[in-house]
Amino acid sequence: MMAAMGIRYKVSGKFPQSGLLISNHLSYLDVLVYGSIVPCFFVSKSEVSRWPFFGWMSRAGGTIYVERSGRANVETVSQQMAERFHLPVMVLLFPEGTSTDGSQMLQFRSRLFTPAIAAGVPVTPAAIRYAAEDGTPEREFCWFGDAKFLPHLLKTLGGSSFTAEVRFGEPNGYTERRSAAASAYAEVAALRHALGGVTSGISKDAAVSGRGIGDESDPMLTNLGTGNNCN
């Protein structure tokens, strides 16, 4: 898919081997990029399974789906994540819960750090950035807010060539989910800064207007992780 879409990528840092991989989230393209770089299972909102083509890809790739409602689902997702941690394949989570235009990172939601903490597996931070040779702003490649999927995809395919830049950090172990989310946020922000991406900080307005997770108090983590949350 990356080759067909003409998307190049550059990677820096050491590839993680297992555990939980976390990243900032800019677009459904993030899934193609990370899936091309390192074997991983994605954590995604259930609606993605019904998307044209991308839904088939996510099902074939063993995606873990999060329902919009139903308290028991978060327990099921946690159990599935715990089972995948026994495999030599990463589980990838976008803790912002929705994608952004790249001008800020949203607060990381902490609940799905819990399975990694309970399993004692490493949490590896990563950051992604999109850069065009002709200077097209990164936000043009991001899928966020109320943007429609198909028009955005067609615009991306017909637009400037660009490169996805990914930087991996060092794996860490944590004992408490909220401190894990806070530390991981700082690490991902630093990695994104190193890539040249803008990280102006948390935007509560963006968190409310996005398509992702609701408040931290929401036990169901509404719209977890994939694009506008496409993992």
Side-chain angles (χ1 to χ4, degrees), residues 125-183:
I128 187 168
R129 173 179 180 256
Y130 294 105
E133 295 178 357
D134 65 358
T136 299
E138 181 182 47
R139 65 177 286 124
E140 295 300 313
F141 305 107
C142 300
W143 188 50
F144 61 97
D146 296 324
K148 302 299 183 183
F149 173 73
L150 186 57
H152 184 273
L153 176 61
L154 294 175
K155 183 183 75 171
T156 301
L157 292 175
S160 305
S161 61
F162 63 99
T163 299
E165 300 177 355
V166 172
R167 189 176 185 92
F168 293 106
E170 293 295 324
N172 297 284
Y174 297 104
T175 59
E176 195 276 324
R177 66 180 177 93
R178 293 184 187 276
S179 60
S183 295

Side-chain angles (χ1 to χ4, degrees), residues 34-81:
Y34 278 112
S36 298
I37 294 171
V38 61
C40 54
F41 297 111
F42 295 95
V43 182
S44 168
K45 65 178 182 180
S46 60
E47 287 86 345
V48 172
S49 67
R50 299 187 289 274
W51 287 7
F53 188 70
F54 281 88
W56 173 84
M57 288 181 63
S58 72
R59 294 192 301 274
T63 296
I64 300 171
Y65 295 112
V66 178
E67 300 289 344
R68 285 179 178 272
S69 60
R71 184 181 298 271
N73 181 250
V74 103
E75 296 298 328
T76 300
V77 169
S78 295
Q79 181 178 355
Q80 291 176 345
M81 290 175 66

Side-chain angles (χ1 to χ4, degrees), residues 5 7 31 49 52 72 75 91 114 125 170 209 215 220:
M5 296 175 71
I7 304 172
V31 176
S49 67
E75 296 298 328
V91 174
T114 301
E170 293 295 324
S209 63
D215 295 336
M220 278 322 302

Side-chain angles (χ1 to χ4, degrees), residues 189-208:
L191 291 170
R192 177 140 164 92
H193 179 73
L195 288 174
V198 177
T199 52
S200 60
I202 296 170
S203 169
K204 294 183 178 179
D205 291 340
V208 171

Side-chain angles (χ1 to χ4, degrees), residues 25 45 51 97-99 143-146 211 223 226-230:
H25 194 19
K45 65 178 182 180
W51 287 7
T98 191
S99 48
W143 188 50
F144 61 97
D146 296 324
R211 298 185 194 141
N223 288 357
T226 50
N228 234 11
N229 304 12
C230 180

